[in-house]
Amino acid sequence: MAAEPDIVDELRRLRSRVPYLTGALAASVDGLVLAQDTPGVEPDGMAALTAAALGVAVRLTDATGQGEFRELTVRGAYGYVATYAAGRTAVLTLLAQDRVNAGRLHLEGRRAGARIGELLDSRAPVEAPVTKPARAPARTRTARAPRTTNTRTSTDS
């Protein structure tokens, strides 16, 4: 898919609003680059890794009952990688130096993700919602009753 000019503009505006932001990438949830502004980082590899991390994050939020995926943040020795939901079919991944204001990164990342999601969702055909099969209720452990032993008593003969 060719980069959407509106999304590229949003990525550039985001980079200008957040000091120490070093890269931004919009990708589909299956790892295809939609738009990127990532100097020094290979965007296809970053999109593929984002999709893999997203899969784990979605499973983790589902397994723990935390609801729909919203964001994932990884902090390394030299900075941050933050991924935000961007509509129904995309994510926004940001790279930032360690000295970035993390609150500002999250605030602007969430806003940009929402704007990118609106742009993409308004152009995508609306699909019927996918219904998940009902989950079995969680199993709970109950205390076991003490075992009764069938001991024989000996009698003197």
Side-chain angles (χ1 to χ4, degrees), residues 84-87 92 108-121:
Y84 303 92
L92 169 66
E108 295 293 346
R110 291 171 188 146
R111 287 178 178 170
R115 281 192 289 274
I116 290 168
E118 289 170 3
L119 288 169
L120 292 172
D121 289 349

Side-chain angles (χ1 to χ4, degrees), residues 52-100:
L54 177 64
V56 172
V58 167
R59 288 187 63 190
L60 184 61
T61 57
D62 186 46
T64 58
Q66 301 303 316
E68 266 182 36
F69 169 81
R70 295 279 190 246
E71 61 192 55
L72 169 69
T73 305
V74 177
R75 183 175 180 206
Y78 304 117
Y80 294 86
V81 178
T83 299
Y84 303 92
R88 297 185 309 259
T89 60
V91 291
L92 169 66
T93 296
L94 304 178
L95 305 175
Q97 294 176 7
D98 190 43
R99 53 191 178 165
V100 72

Side-chain angles (χ1 to χ4, degrees), residues 7-88:
I7 298 172
V8 172
D9 289 343
E10 182 61 36
L11 297 182
R12 289 194 179 123
R13 284 192 303 273
L14 178 62
R15 295 241 352 238
S16 70
R17 287 191 309 266
V18 181
Y20 308 112
L21 189 66
T22 59
L25 170 108
S28 68
V29 293
D30 23 340
L32 300 174
V33 176
L34 302 175
Q36 59 92 18
D37 183 13
T38 57
V41 177
E42 201 275 312
D44 291 324
M46 187 170 141
L49 287 169
T50 295
L54 177 64
V56 172
V58 167
R59 288 187 63 190
L60 184 61
T61 57
D62 186 46
T64 58
Q66 301 303 316
E68 266 182 36
F69 169 81
R70 295 279 190 246
E71 61 192 55
L72 169 69
T73 305
V74 177
R75 183 175 180 206
Y78 304 117
Y80 294 86
V81 178
T83 299
Y84 303 92
R88 297 185 309 259

